[in-house]
Amino acid sequence: MAYSPHTPADRERMLAAVGVTSVDDLFADIPAGVRASSFSVPPPLSEQEVRAELSRLAGRNRIAEVSFLGAGAYRHLVPSVVGEVIGRSEFSTAYTPYQPEVSQGTLQSIYEFQSLICELTGMEVATASHYDGATATAEAALMACRLTRRHRVAVSTAVNPQVRRVLATYCSGPGIEVVEVPADLAVGGSGLTPVEAAERVLDDGFACLVAQQPNFFGGIEPMGELADASHAVGAQFVAVVEPTSLALLAAPGTYGADIVAAEGQPLGIPLSFGGPYVGLMAARMESVRQMPGRLVGATRDAQGRRGYVLTLQAREQHIRREKAASNICTNQALCALAATAYLTSVGPAGLAEVADLSITQARHLATALETAGLAERRFSGPYFAEVALRVPDAVRRHAALAAGGTVAGLPLESEYPELHDTLLLAATELTTDADIAALVAALEGTR
Amino acid sequence: MMPDDLRYSREHEWVRVEGPIATIGITGFAADELGDIVYVELPEVGSQLKQFAGFGVVESVKAVSDLYAPISGTVTEVNDALRSGPELLNTDPFGAGWIARVELADPTEPEGLLDAAAYAELTAG
Amino acid sequence: MSADLAGDASGRGAAFTSPDGGEVLTVVEPLIFASSRAGRRAVRFPAPSARAKAAAASQPAIPADACRAAQPRLPEVSELDMLRHFNRLSHLNFAIDLGFYPLGSCTMKYNPKVNEWAARLPGLAESHPLDPAVLAQGSLELEWLLGELLKEISGFAAVSLQPAAGAHGELTGLLMARAYHRSRGEGEQRTRVLVPDSAHGTNPATATMVGYTAVTIPSNERGGIDLAALRAALGPDTAALMITNPSTLGIFEDQIDQVIAAVKEAGAIAYMDGANLNAILGRFRPGEVGFDVMHFNLHKTFSTPHGGGGPGAGPVGVSERLVPFLPGPQPILVSGDPVEVRESAWAGRGTPGATFALEPGGARAESIGQVRAFTGNFGMFVRAYAYIRSNGGDGLRQVSNDAVLAANYLRVRLADAYDLPFDRICKHEVVFSGRRQKRANGISTLDIAKAILDHGVHPPTIYFPLIVEEALMIEPTETETLETLDHFVEIMHRVATLAATDPDALRRAPETTPVGRLDEATAARRPDLRFVAEPVVAEAG
């Protein structure tokens, strides 16, 4: 099935106008020695055959009936109205708004997005978005290096391991050294980043400390104290946050964060096997010239109408080229639009309900498993909507449950060898009492 | 229109010498080339400039240009008005749009720069 | 609280001031905050059950000092108002689904809707990236099959789907180049990346991000890379050459074999920017002529929607010698013979007996790591896979044939009205110069673009590539009818005529769009980057 509308007559007319007899003449400048020797792409399919093939692949997935899997991607309600908004092809089939006069829809929605992220995070400026939370975090660390002119970055081991790996990959580019601050992962320990551990690592060679709130294990970190420890050595504090938690938890701008990064997937973006997601970044206005990524600003036209444009573009690759803060060319505009539609459709009350239900069900889950004698909390401290639980023979039992369509969170041992027999379970507003009862029953069945 | 009492560098900066202090800026030609200037990264007071080395950046909406020091010396003053009004570089590049005052390290350096006529020739071509 | 969100955001009748002073502006569509009233709700959620609350009570409470003092000041709106707002905003956009969008270098082809249908299938949309492999065979298989198709299309030995965008693919490619050189003990000595002067800005920016120095190589008078200059610049300190082929001038590098030979001889990595793949499908496979790495732009060549500026996807193909350095984890075939599995899938028989997984963590010690979380922009993989299967091999060949034919058609039809810096057969895009109009009346390519807006089509790309004065880059793609192309030719002729006879009309343009030319200088001098209850005018710096 092809989408080209040209009939043979159309092609003849164009060939005649160009003055060649065959379209192959237009490729004559490809030297014979470099022409493709084969092109064995399977034959075309009609629409119904394409549907059948994609349905086949979708059918080979089994979407768990009961799932407590989080660890950086969360199963939340995507309100129906969000799908309507991003389904409008005026949004989805538009390009980057380089001609602002015909792109006010995209530009104004990004301005609204920037405004909402600033409000959630308590920061003064937010970008138009990045590829995902992990790359936003990496870019934030590099930004801190530029701001401080230092070459070392400290990161807590309680930050999501995928984020830490991406940070390491990005820092390997300009040769920035990444040093770990060990979290207290002992059995019965806090599961948090001890401030003394941060202080032992940090010195005036560090551009920043990166910590996550809630942390990878759902724990509530002493972010204000970690910020103080960073500032004591003149380093920036980079807070990696979860956006729905900001309905209840303190905004990073109020506890001394210099740069904020986040994964925006929980804001109305489907799981979709890991992407596309949306990275959030926010900072103070005084740092804006070192911020990577697009920014939309308000202005006016000659007729006195308010309008929006991409601004401060001199930071970006198409102008600075080799001197740009980052090579980033895109933002994740349609995903940012989904987040904007989500936040405006749930509002502050709805977001608070999501957070409240998530933390209630996480606690309900922990109590139910503890009461049944099936699990114990690994860490002693308070947690948000995710909790690390010790379950004997966790890996075998997790696999048995998965084969039956129940995902009991994430076994942590492969990422944290010391967290033997530990599962990380998340709850959201979609977690029902029946889900929890089903998990208890399933785990019972694998004793 | 090139003021006669100034010296010019090939990188389109001008110098006005008043005793031991030189005032520096960018020329109207450079400002016109850049378009509407939106931001100037000013040097710090007390910093050392080296002739022809980069010392700052000037940005317009669509372009970025490095600033190259036309003379060597110590920065004694910067034009804070440019922080809130970078457009002064467009409207009055030789007057209110001055960038910095510098204590000359070598008073003979300005003589090696272009005079008004030579700069006019450079920019005519 | 919400009352003050609304008052300043409505614009209508309220003092909505311009960033540089007290002037009252008119507002095309108020900010969403204007509809906010305390207590308005749209989507609601259930309350926790009594049982859940009782069970939760025995768990440690979140300390008060970790909590917000007050709710975030998000707008409180009704679902209807919110939907109307976004619908009205969408009406302010131009889009491919409304009209011709001949942006050079962007490949604004039709985004097929069956791709959207596929991406929304619950079996794919609800798949968690960390699900055990037993539950995710469909997702893993789709990634594996797409990788196989991209390998065949490009001639490369292996593909990583991980990078989220073209620039991200470039970053991945240069990180792999550096890892390769380090593995051979040449990491310290190879510090420079060569880039043609016609390159997209992401190329030198990426070089800097990876700690390299970007060195510019001039183009020759035929629009190709200057081979002599390239040879002179290549040496033991060269890490890589990054080259776009066809170039950003829309011209095929007819000395590409010599270019690659020179790069190889210097021991450097040959990187191809695959943004212009739409020109050469079925005709040229970079992996089989010696390129080491190339990024694909799924949102260009493979029809995934541009979304107003993303999401896209930038998978990379690599030669054998770079395979160890690919980011991970890669999707792999665990059981089944790859040749049989492919043939069975292509024949519509599915892949019975084949099982897939992600490489175990740390499987390849020399991998550069991860360039993003999880395996990539899967939603775009679904769309690209559907597109490739729809077209098939013959269809993809036809895509390039028609894209190149359409661009050459526009080249010959517009050559009388605009200067053509490189008067030769082009590929899928053609670059004109507005210098004739500039010299005649001072009309810039920007003025020409703004005038085109008043005719209901999107202008071409302007001021890129940088090596062409007043550049105007046109890429029609293969999905536009001849009538659309002819209508565009008429528009371009009319604008050229106006430039000569009534240049002031162009300087006033656009006059029929929702807003006219916007004051970008003030937007940059006095940045207003967010709404607050009272408009904030901040100075950056």
Side-chain angles (χ1 to χ4, degrees):
Chain A
M1 185 168 61
Y3 300 97
S4 175
H6 298 302
T7 65
D10 292 332
R11 293 188 180 105
E12 283 310 313
R13 266 200 52 204
M14 286 194 278
L15 287 168
V18 175
V20 294
T21 45
S22 140
V23 75
D24 290 333
D25 297 343
L26 300 174
F27 294 90
D29 54 351
I30 301 183
V34 300
R35 291 185 192 161
S37 64
S38 81
F39 197 67
S40 307
V41 176
L45 299 177
S46 65
E47 173 150 350
Q48 64 204 56
E49 291 166 314
V50 169
R51 288 197 179 195
E53 167 65 358
L54 272 300
S55 296
R56 175 187 78 79
L57 288 165
R60 281 206 73 187
N61 276 345
R62 180 172 179 182
I63 304 303
E65 288 80 28
V66 173
S67 178
F68 292 87
L69 184 51
Y74 300 91
R75 199 172 61 99
H76 283 287
L77 177 76
V78 176
S80 313
V81 72
V82 171
E84 284 293 311
V85 170
I86 65 166
R88 292 197 68 85
S89 60
E90 296 95 329
F91 283 126
S92 64
T93 72
Y95 189 65
T96 305
Y98 289 128
Q99 297 290 352
E101 299 89 339
V102 291
S103 312
Q104 289 299 294
T106 297
L107 287 162
Q108 183 170 332
S109 66
I110 295 174
Y111 181 85
E112 293 175 353
F113 171 80
Q114 288 170 189
S115 305
L116 294 169
I117 301 307
C118 284
E119 187 53 41
L120 272 183
T121 59
M123 305 298 285
E124 294 171 345
V125 57
T127 65
S129 77
H130 302 267
Y131 308 136
D132 69 354
T135 57
T137 305
E139 293 263 28
L142 295 179
M143 177 177 163
C145 292
R146 288 192 294 277
L147 286 168
T148 59
R149 292 177 212 228
R150 298 177 179 182
H151 312 289
R152 307 174 82 198
V153 164
V155 60
S156 163
T157 57
V159 169
N160 184 322
Q162 302 236 15
V163 172
R164 284 187 283 125
R165 280 193 287 274
V166 173
L167 176 65
T169 300
Y170 268 66
C171 287
S172 75
I176 305 285
E177 187 190 350
V178 180
V179 177
E180 286 185 342
V181 175
D184 173 13
L185 303 184
V187 177
S190 66
L192 306 175
T193 309
V195 181
E196 311 75 56
E199 285 167 344
R200 268 196 297 277
V201 167
L202 289 169
D203 63 33
D204 62 10
F206 279 87
C208 64
L209 167 66
V210 181
Q212 183 177 319
Q213 183 75 308
N215 69 22
F216 183 62
F217 310 106
I220 307 292
E221 293 274 21
M223 296 298 266
E225 292 172 70
L226 293 172
D228 290 342
S230 311
H231 297 148
V233 297
Q236 304 255 305
F237 184 56
V238 175
V240 182
V241 296
E242 193 279 307
T244 65
S245 76
L246 293 175
L248 296 181
L249 296 183
T254 60
Y255 54 66
D258 298 291
I259 312 173
V260 176
E263 173 53 65
Q265 177 271 325
L267 303 176
I269 292 161
L271 286 168
S272 195
F273 203 60
Y277 289 170
V278 61
L280 315 178
M281 188 187 297
R284 286 193 303 279
M285 265 316 271
E286 73 195 43
S287 311
V288 74
R289 287 204 135 72
Q290 291 304 327
M291 273 186 113
R294 296 203 173 118
L295 288 167
V296 169
T299 184
R300 49 160 297 170
D301 72 359
Q303 289 75 39
R305 287 174 291 205
R306 174 147 161 128
Y308 301 88
V309 288
L310 294 175
T311 192
L312 299 182
Q313 291 189 74
R315 297 161 303 118
E316 296 186 64
Q317 50 79 24
H318 57 291
I319 292 176
R320 285 256 182 186
R321 297 176 69 91
E322 69 276 1
K323 294 186 181 142
S326 163
N327 72 343
I328 192 168
C329 186
T330 187
N331 53 325
Q332 299 275 98
L334 203 66
C335 297
L337 179 63
T340 306
Y342 177 85
L343 287 170
T344 53
S345 71
V346 305
L351 201 65
E353 285 170 354
V354 167
D356 186 48
L357 200 41
S358 301
I359 64 180
T360 301
Q361 291 298 61
R363 280 156 176 64
H364 176 189
L365 162 75
T367 296
L369 290 171
E370 285 170 340
T371 307
L374 290 167
E376 285 169 1
R377 267 178 299 125
R378 169 83 187 199
F379 304 122
S380 58
Y383 51 92
F384 193 71
E386 221 156 351
V387 61
L389 296 170
R390 289 175 63 220
V391 175
D393 203 10
V395 170
R396 172 190 65 84
R397 295 162 81 187
H398 180 275
L401 261 57
T406 296
V407 182
L410 182 74
L412 288 174
E413 201 168 325
S414 58
E415 294 280 19
Y416 296 88
E418 67 268 56
L419 295 184
H420 187 56
D421 272 351
T422 310
L423 302 174
L424 181 66
L425 286 88
T428 69
E429 78 285 2
L430 294 180
T431 305
T432 63
D433 292 356
D435 290 337
I436 292 171
L439 177 67
V440 171
L443 268 178
E444 274 287 356
T446 58
R447 269 199 203 265
Chain B
M1 199 238 333
M2 250 57 71
D4 281 331
D5 60 329
L6 308 180
R7 309 294 287 190
Y8 299 85
S9 71
R10 295 194 161 272
E11 297 296 338
H12 310 289
E13 276 87 10
W14 56 261
V15 185
R16 174 182 295 121
V17 181
E18 284 154 329
I21 303 291
T23 306
I24 64 177
I26 64 166
T27 66
F29 176 83
D32 286 345
E33 289 275 293
L34 281 163
D36 290 315
I37 291 172
V38 303
Y39 177 71
V40 186
E41 186 187 283
L42 297 169
E44 281 185 30
V45 172
S47 60
Q48 299 296 320
L49 301 189
K50 186 164 174 296
Q51 191 181 38
F52 306 138
F55 74 96
V57 173
V58 63
E59 278 178 31
S60 66
V61 171
K62 300 287 190 201
V64 167
S65 206
D66 288 312
L67 295 170
Y68 297 99
I71 39 78
S72 313
T74 311
V75 177
T76 59
E77 217 186 320
V78 296
N79 186 358
D80 283 318
L82 290 177
R83 294 193 206 277
S84 52
E87 55 269 37
L88 283 170
L89 287 171
N90 293 112
T91 56
D92 193 5
F94 296 102
W98 63 274
I99 293 177
R101 300 210 207 281
V102 181
E103 194 179 316
L104 285 167
D106 176 358
T108 67
E109 268 181 351
E111 289 152 40
L113 297 174
L114 306 172
D115 63 14
Y119 184 67
E121 219 184 289
L122 175 73
T123 55
Chain C
M1 168 180 89
S2 300
D4 30 68
L5 285 192
D8 294 293
S10 69
R12 298 209 180 107
F16 210 179
T17 55
S18 53
D20 60 353
E23 186 189 346
V24 174
L25 301 174
T26 56
V27 163
V28 177
E29 168 62 27
L31 292 170
I32 184 66
F33 304 93
S35 320
S36 178
R37 296 293 183 278
R40 274 192 187 149
R41 292 293 308 266
V43 177
R44 290 162 199 273
F45 298 88
S49 67
R51 174 204 178 131
K53 284 200 286 214
S58 58
Q59 297 288 325
I62 297 175
D65 63 7
C67 294
R68 289 183 97 97
Q71 268 189 355
R73 299 179 64 180
L74 305 177
E76 298 173 76
V77 300
S78 72
E79 189 165 319
L80 177 56
D81 269 2
M82 165 256 169
L83 184 60
R84 284 178 175 162
H85 169 73
F86 287 106
N87 283 345
R88 286 192 302 256
L89 281 183
S90 77
H91 294 174
L92 303 177
N93 265 7
F94 190 80
I96 297 175
D97 280 11
L98 291 174
F100 191 39
Y101 219 123
L103 276 178
S105 166
C106 304
T107 312
M108 304 297 286
K109 65 173 73 186
Y110 173 58
N111 309 132
K113 304 317 174 195
V114 69
N115 300 354
E116 300 304 313
W117 175 91
R120 286 164 172 78
L121 286 170
L124 299 174
E126 293 174 19
S127 175
H128 192 295
L130 297 174
D131 264 344
V134 64
L135 301 179
Q137 287 298 297
S139 301
L140 294 164
E141 178 178 342
L142 193 152
E143 290 193 352
W144 189 82
L145 290 176
L146 179 63
E148 294 297 300
L149 287 171
L150 293 177
K151 279 159 61 178
E152 180 57 31
I153 287 167
S154 63
F156 281 107
V159 163
S160 165
L161 301 178
Q162 218 183 79
H168 209 206
E170 293 177 30
L171 177 68
T172 306
L174 285 192
L175 284 171
M176 288 192 287
R178 218 253 306 284
Y180 168 79
H181 291 309
R182 281 189 177 151
S183 75
R184 304 179 74 245
E186 295 184 351
E188 299 298 306
Q189 91 192 43
R190 294 193 182 267
T191 56
R192 293 164 24 126
V193 169
L194 309 184
V195 173
D197 56 8
S198 56
H200 193 270
T202 52
N203 293 172
T206 304
T208 304
M209 265 185 105
V210 183
Y212 285 128
T213 307
V215 173
T216 306
I217 309 294
S219 301
N220 61 30
E221 69 290 344
R222 292 176 59 252
I225 195 170
D226 184 326
L227 198 49
L230 174 64
R231 285 190 174 122
L234 279 165
D237 60 355
T238 310
L241 166 72
M242 296 178 84
I243 190 167
T244 309
N245 188 30
S247 72
T248 60
L249 297 164
I251 289 170
F252 192 88
E253 289 281 355
D254 52 16
Q255 298 180 293
I256 193 67
D257 42 355
Q258 297 175 71
V259 166
I260 292 181
V263 171
K264 288 289 165 74
E265 203 184 302
I269 291 292
Y271 182 101
M272 181 165 135
D273 180 323
N276 292 335
L277 210 57
N278 213 47
I280 47 171
L281 295 167
R283 298 267 184 183
F284 176 76
R285 302 200 312 159
E288 70 177 337
V289 306
F291 274 103
D292 289 295
V293 53
M294 178 189 87
H295 77 264
F296 303 80
N297 293 86
L298 297 190
H299 47 290
K300 296 186 183 188
T301 321
F302 298 99
S303 88
T304 76
H306 285 84
V316 290
V318 297
S319 62
E320 223 29 272
R321 65 182 181 169
L322 290 190
V323 168
F325 311 103
L326 282 170
Q330 286 280 83
I332 53 176
L333 180 65
V334 172
S335 71
D337 171 71
V339 175
E340 283 170 22
V341 170
R342 271 198 307 267
E343 277 173 15
S344 178
W346 303 159
R349 292 194 301 271
T351 57
T355 49
F356 303 87
L358 287 180
E359 278 178 316
R364 284 174 296 112
E366 292 178 292
S367 163
I368 59 169
Q370 276 185 257
V371 295
R372 56 153 300 153
F374 311 124
T375 56
N377 277 352
F378 180 79
M380 317 330 276
F381 306 156
V382 176
R383 292 168 171 92
Y385 180 74
Y387 180 76
I388 295 169
R389 297 303 314 270
S390 292
N391 274 285
D394 289 343
L396 292 179
R397 266 189 260 251
Q398 194 67 62
V399 162
S400 287
N401 286 353
D402 286 342
V404 169
L405 181 54
N408 278 284
Y409 179 72
L410 291 180
R411 172 177 63 81
V412 303
R413 299 271 336 257
L414 293 173
D416 54 339
Y418 298 89
D419 278 8
L420 192 57
F422 299 94
D423 193 357
R424 48 179 286 202
I425 284 172
C426 62
K427 292 286 168 285
H428 66 313
E429 62 197 4
V430 56
V431 180
F432 287 95
S433 165
R435 69 182 164 215
R436 189 190 307 180
Q437 286 75 15
K438 187 88 195 266
R439 284 184 195 150
N441 286 334
I443 287 296
S444 66
T445 292
L446 181 78
D447 297 319
I448 292 169
K450 299 308 183 190
I452 293 170
L453 286 172
D454 278 331
H455 289 86
V457 302
H458 196 279
T461 296
I462 54 175
Y463 299 109
F464 180 76
L466 302 178
I467 56 171
V468 171
E469 186 193 342
E470 300 290 321
L472 201 58
M473 192 198 303
I474 302 172
E475 182 183 354
T477 82
E478 72 284 0
T479 56
E480 303 293 338
T481 61
L482 198 41
E483 303 88 85
T484 300
L485 299 179
D486 285 339
H487 181 55
F488 178 68
V489 169
E490 269 176 46
I491 292 171
M492 293 296 284
H493 279 130
R494 198 172 317 147
V495 171
T497 301
L498 273 176
T501 60
D502 187 6
D504 281 337
L506 268 61
R507 292 190 185 101
R508 286 193 304 268
E511 295 184 285
T512 61
T513 51
V515 297
R517 295 201 204 188
L518 293 156
D519 182 354
E520 299 192 22
T522 303
R525 285 175 187 149
R526 278 170 269 288
D528 171 358
L529 306 176
R530 62 166 297 199
F531 168 77
V532 281
E534 338 81 43
V536 162
V537 173
E539 276 154 31

